[in-house]
Amino acid sequence: MRALGFRTRLGLFFVGTLVVVQVLTASLASGVARSQLMVDGGHQLSTDAAAFVAQMTDLSAGVATSAQSMSLDAGMRAAVASRDREAMLSILRTSGQRMGAERMQMIDTHGVVQEDTAGDATPHPFPLPDLLKDGAGARAAAVTTVDGNAFWIVTVPVSAPHPIGRIAASIPVDDTLIEHMQHLSVLPRYAQLITRGADSEWVVVARGAGDLNLASGLRAAGLPLPLTPTRIDVDGQQMLLLAQPLETPGGSSPVYALIGYSLDNALAPYRAVRGAWAALLALSLATGLLVAWLVARSVSRPVEALAEVARRIEAGDYDTPVVVNRTDEIGQLALAIRTMSEAVRERERHIRYQAMHDPVSGLPNRTAAEDDIDDYLTRHPGAEGALLLVGLTRLPDIVKTVGHALADRLMGDAGARVRQLAGHHLVARATDTHFVLWMAGADRAAAIGLAFRLLDALGHPYTEADVSIDMGPAIGVALAPEHGMQAATLLRHAEVAQFAAAGSTRGVDVYDPDLDAHRPERLSLMSELRAAIDSDALELHYQPKLRLADGTMDAAEALIRWNHPTRGWIQPEEFIYAAEETGNIGRVTRWVLATAIAHVHQLGERGHALKVSINLSARDLEDAELPDRVGQLLRMHGVPGSMIVLEVTESAVIGEPEAALQVLRRLADMGIDIAIDDFGIGQSSFGYLRHLPVHELKIDKMFVQQLASDETDRTIVQSLIELGHRLGYQVTAEGVEDADALEYLRGVGCDHAQGYYVARAMDFHALNQLCEASGSHVV
């Protein structure tokens, strides 16, 4: 997918910013309006609740006044005094109709209802004793519910002149009354009276003009009675509810005035504003899009031009002009890019110069020289040329004596001398101590002639203040195409010649392949070793081991030897190490195993039961197939595993302990003895020993060679022998070179001795003769 361009992204940024600002503004305004409406609604609810209670109080006061007037009526007093029941009922009905009371009751001083307009003629206790208060003029009023209907109960005393009872008036508080109260005052549309129903849930006993059941909304939301303004959804409308408790007598269910404030109705005027806001937002977006496109276009064009210039600078083109005719920030950016381009061009030129030149002499360096020489030899195949490597052999000593600063000045002076004589030829500094001079088209005579002139010029000491320093020049010459057609080859051969010149009295030498001791012949050593293995050109020599208990030669160690057809005898350390480094040690080990086991078989056929020890390397112990190959060789030659001892060093086991342990255990399971060679000088000593299937320890010769004179070595050897025996191992001492050492070892109970004093290593033919001559008895 193609990435959006700068102009498009800039325009989208402007438009997006405008949209975000507009949406945030609209959201903020809507949120503030709603929040303020909720605050105002809460205040309105509190005011309406207080007004509702005040109206109810005024109602009770009016009823109480009417009842009080009735109680003062002379006819009423006379009827009460004479207990004229018919007269009292007539007066109570007439007064009740006038007050709007549904029920009127006459109560004596004992709280017993004597007369009741509801038709109950039997005297009975008044059910609301809290409303019967003593004292002249004392009246009481409260709201109660009867059979699911709300009544405002007002009681006033009757005196003639002393209190003779009370009149109770029950005014129904129903929907009509609340609607009438809403009509006469500023009560909200949603005003209801609620009380506890039979199931303890809040139920409406009277409501105003509002069509919502606020109590049902409370039950649906699972909210408690809202004694403070609380937001709730009632039948899909958002409302603020507030419950105001009304005065109720003891023993009666509590009654609350539940007042509602519709947030939806309050927000209705803002809907028109919201539509206007949306239209304004659309217009702003359209205008913003046009402006953003124009701004983005004016900004992006010069920026895109600058981006193209930057890409050309990246590609190395520093000559493309930066043309932006502006004086604002973009114009300043264009000026900065132009300045940067010039600075980068100059810096690259400087870096390229530094990378190809020597800072001390100011001459080209070796890399630059090789490039120029290779370029010439490529353009002129087979052409003649001479490379002179001029070395100052005494420079390392000069640096150590007078320091680098003076040595650098000396090299600068030497470079100037070489450059002066070189004429038009290329001169460069090859190394810290060498200059290279390339003579294109020159032959041997011209090269040698210039070399001696250089030798003479550099033979004059360098003088500074009171210091005179001999440079010790030596020059090697390599010729093209005779000695090579590549600069690297010519430099290497010239260096060989320069080394030869430094060791001669001439001071100048031409490369001679026959005298090059640094040819890569050693690299062919491994291929020659592989050829020697394939042609069976290697040899096994054996060094006998003496059993000290009875002086019998019962074992020998196999040692590999290589008599190279041109190099003569090569030390085992040289080619074994190279074989290990190149991964060829496995081929060597396989040849040694096959040859040694075959020799054991031949000795056995002649009646000589000689156990042979064979050395394994660390790489051999990583070969999981080694036990299988050894077993196959033993079966092939009919040699029991007990006639073979495999020697490993501690360091070989430490390298890959888990792999080595598995290989050694499999070999031990075949009856082959495992010996630890060079014991006592390894890193782990007995750390890994207890995990290995070891049968024999071979004490390293460094502890044995001085046994005759070194008391410390005697103590160490004796300790090693005793420890080995306690662990159940046979112990062999290597490097026995005198009779005193042998006698000491025999005295401390060593099992076997091996060394020049016992016998030197010999080829298989000599070993066979030794066995025949001595019957295996040596000492």
Side-chain angles (χ1 to χ4, degrees), residues 621 648 650 653-654 656-669 674 676 679 684-695 697 727 729:
L621 297 182
V648 296
E650 295 174 83
V653 177
I654 293 172
E656 292 288 342
E658 296 299 329
L661 183 60
Q662 293 181 9
V663 170
L664 293 176
R665 283 177 176 172
R666 290 177 59 193
L667 291 169
D669 292 340
I674 305 299
I676 300 297
F679 183 75
S684 65
S685 295
F686 287 94
Y688 285 99
L689 202 58
R690 55 193 178 91
H691 299 294
L692 302 176
V694 176
H695 176 266
L697 300 181
L727 294 174
Y729 302 145

Side-chain angles (χ1 to χ4, degrees), residues 693-742:
V694 176
H695 176 266
E696 179 183 357
L697 300 181
K698 299 189 72 174
I699 302 175
D700 189 74
K701 62 184 179 181
M702 67 175 294
F703 300 114
V704 178
Q705 290 173 333
Q706 304 297 325
L707 276 180
S709 58
D710 195 317
E711 188 65 31
T712 301
D713 285 348
R714 291 191 174 199
T715 303
I716 292 174
V717 169
Q718 182 177 1
S719 299
L720 292 176
I721 293 172
E722 291 176 353
L723 186 56
H725 285 164
R726 290 180 182 179
L727 294 174
Y729 302 145
Q730 293 284 310
V731 180
T732 298
E734 297 181 299
V736 179
E737 298 180 357
D738 54 64
D740 291 339
L742 184 66

Side-chain angles (χ1 to χ4, degrees), residues 426-765:
L426 171 67
V427 178
R429 186 173 181 181
T431 67
D432 289 343
T433 60
H434 294 82
F435 297 99
V436 61
L437 191 153
W438 168 246
M439 302 174 65
D443 57 9
R444 176 187 292 263
I448 294 175
L450 179 57
F452 277 106
R453 290 196 298 274
L454 289 172
L455 188 69
D456 182 63
L458 295 173
H460 298 289
Y462 170 75
T463 302
E464 181 176 316
D466 57 346
V467 178
S468 180
I469 302 174
D470 183 17
M471 301 181 190
I475 303 173
V477 180
L479 304 173
E482 180 181 350
H483 300 145
M485 283 299 295
Q486 290 183 335
T489 304
L490 291 173
L491 276 169
R492 181 167 57 83
H493 291 163
E495 187 175 14
V496 173
Q498 193 268 333
F499 286 156
S504 69
T505 59
R506 299 184 303 275
V508 175
D509 212 335
V510 180
Y511 176 72
D512 184 355
D514 295 334
L515 300 178
D516 186 359
H518 301 278
R519 287 178 294 175
E521 293 179 352
R522 292 173 61 88
L523 299 179
S524 64
L525 183 63
M526 285 302 97
S527 61
E528 294 174 356
L529 176 62
R530 289 192 293 271
I533 294 174
D534 295 338
S535 61
D536 203 25
L538 300 177
E539 299 180 23
L540 274 187
H541 287 197
Y542 295 90
Q543 186 172 34
K545 293 170 61 178
L546 179 67
R547 187 167 63 195
L548 295 178
D550 55 7
T552 302
M553 184 191 69
D554 62 346
E557 180 179 359
L559 303 172
I560 191 170
R561 296 291 185 265
W562 184 12
N563 188 6
H564 194 278
T566 59
R567 304 185 190 185
W569 290 101
I570 300 177
Q571 292 296 320
E573 294 81 3
E574 182 178 352
F575 67 86
I576 290 296
Y577 174 77
E580 287 180 336
E581 291 297 314
T582 58
N584 288 298
I585 191 63
R587 295 170 61 91
V588 175
T589 300
R590 289 194 290 273
W591 182 87
V592 171
L593 285 169
T595 304
I597 293 175
H599 285 169
V600 171
H601 170 71
Q602 295 174 24
L603 289 172
E605 286 185 333
R606 293 182 176 90
H608 306 304
L610 194 69
K611 181 179 289 189
V612 172
S613 298
I614 303 169
N615 289 280
L616 298 180
S617 72
R619 289 184 177 269
D620 293 327
L621 297 182
E622 299 174 5
D623 184 4
E625 298 180 359
L626 177 65
D628 297 332
R629 283 196 290 269
V630 173
Q632 184 179 4
L633 289 172
L634 293 174
R635 290 191 297 272
M636 182 187 303
H637 294 284
V639 174
S642 59
M643 298 302 296
I644 300 297
V645 178
L646 296 178
E647 297 185 7
V648 296
T649 62
E650 295 174 83
S651 59
V653 177
I654 293 172
E656 292 288 342
E658 296 299 329
L661 183 60
Q662 293 181 9
V663 170
L664 293 176
R665 283 177 176 172
R666 290 177 59 193
L667 291 169
D669 292 340
M670 298 163 56
I672 298 173
D673 290 341
I674 305 299
I676 300 297
D677 196 13
D678 301 334
F679 183 75
I681 62 172
Q683 298 176 353
S684 65
S685 295
F686 287 94
Y688 285 99
L689 202 58
R690 55 193 178 91
H691 299 294
L692 302 176
V694 176
H695 176 266
E696 179 183 357
L697 300 181
K698 299 189 72 174
I699 302 175
D700 189 74
K701 62 184 179 181
M702 67 175 294
F703 300 114
V704 178
Q705 290 173 333
Q706 304 297 325
L707 276 180
S709 58
D710 195 317
E711 188 65 31
T712 301
D713 285 348
R714 291 191 174 199
T715 303
I716 292 174
V717 169
Q718 182 177 1
S719 299
L720 292 176
I721 293 172
E722 291 176 353
L723 186 56
H725 285 164
R726 290 180 182 179
L727 294 174
Y729 302 145
Q730 293 284 310
V731 180
T732 298
E734 297 181 299
V736 179
E737 298 180 357
D738 54 64
D740 291 339
L742 184 66
E743 289 304 319
Y744 178 79
L745 292 169
R746 181 180 281 121
V748 295
C750 186
D751 299 296
H752 286 84
Q754 178 182 347
Y756 288 164
Y757 184 72
V758 174
R760 291 179 176 271
M762 59 191 72
D763 59 23
F764 179 67
H765 178 70

Side-chain angles (χ1 to χ4, degrees), residues 321-338:
V322 182
V323 181
V324 177
N325 298 320
R326 299 174 65 141
T327 58
D328 57 3
E329 290 82 357
I330 295 179
Q332 295 175 9
L333 176 61
L335 178 61
I337 290 178
R338 182 166 59 249

